[in-house]
Amino acid sequence: MKIAVASDHAGYDYRQMLKEYLLSLGHEVEDFGCPDKSSCDYPTFGRRAARAVQSGECERGVLVCGTGFGISLSANRLEGIRCVNATDALTVRLSRLHNNSNMISLGARVIGEEEAKFLLDTFLQTPFEGGRHARRIALIDDKTI
C-alpha cells in the first residue's frame, strides 16, 4: 500500500520512526512532512499529505503532531478525507469499520511508540464494513444537507 506521511516539528521523530516501521511492513511511503525539527505550521504539512490521499496518489495517510488533533483538523477540511485522531484502539477500529477512515493522526506527546505502532496496525488491518455505513459516508460529503 502507498501511504502518505507528514508531521510538524513536534512529530518529526515519530514520523521518522513510523516511516521505518511502515517500510519494514512492506509499504511504500511518500513523505510530505517538515524537513527538520524547526518550528513550523502543522496545517501546511497535514494538507500536503491529505491532498495526496484525496487525489488517489496515496491510498492512506499517517499524520503526526503533538496531540494528533490539530493536524487531523487540517486534513479533515478537505473533501473526502476522513482522518481519525487516534486515541485508543476501539476508536481506530470503528473509524475504519464504520467511517472508512483514510487517514490516521497520532500525538507524539501523548502516545508511546509501541502504542502508536499498535494503533497504526489496527488502522491498516481493519476493513470497511460498507452497507449502511457507505450511505452515511455519502451523507458526510453531501453538500445539499
Side-chain angles (χ1 to χ4, degrees):
M1 182 181 310
K2 188 171 182 183
I3 301 173
V5 299
S7 75
D8 65 357
H9 57 283
Y12 181 85
D13 288 333
Y14 259 51
R15 184 179 92 234
Q16 302 309 316
M17 177 268 297
L18 292 171
K19 275 175 29 180
E20 296 214 6
Y21 182 65
L22 289 166
L23 291 169
S24 77
L25 296 175
H27 297 288
E28 185 179 348
V29 175
E30 186 76 25
D31 192 340
F32 296 91
C34 62
D36 55 39
K37 295 182 190 180
S38 301
S39 182
C40 63
D41 300 318
Y42 59 81
T44 301
F45 301 102
R47 288 268 176 93
R48 287 179 185 168
R51 283 192 186 98
V53 173
Q54 183 185 46
S55 72
E57 175 186 345
C58 294
E59 295 169 69
R60 303 253 183 103
V62 178
L63 304 176
V64 187
C65 70
T67 64
F69 187 66
I71 203 163
S72 72
L73 287 177
S74 64
N76 279 324
R77 298 290 299 222
L78 297 179
E79 186 174 343
I81 296 300
R82 293 171 305 282
C83 183
V84 59
N85 183 18
T87 55
D88 61 88
L90 180 60
T91 299
V92 172
R93 181 168 158 63
L94 291 176
S95 80
R96 285 288 308 137
L97 287 170
H98 297 178
N99 309 115
N100 199 17
S101 57
N102 49 16
M103 297 188 81
I104 185 172
S105 65
L106 299 157
R109 294 177 179 154
V110 296
I111 296 173
E113 287 186 14
E114 292 308 310
E115 181 70 6
K117 290 177 187 176
F118 176 72
L119 294 172
L120 182 54
D121 286 338
T122 301
F123 172 72
L124 295 173
Q125 295 168 8
T126 304
F128 173 51
E129 280 185 352
R132 71 184 188 277
H133 303 296
R135 183 182 76 248
R136 293 171 182 158
I137 289 171
L139 288 169
I140 290 170
D141 291 332
D142 186 340
K143 293 181 174 147
T144 66
I145 59 171

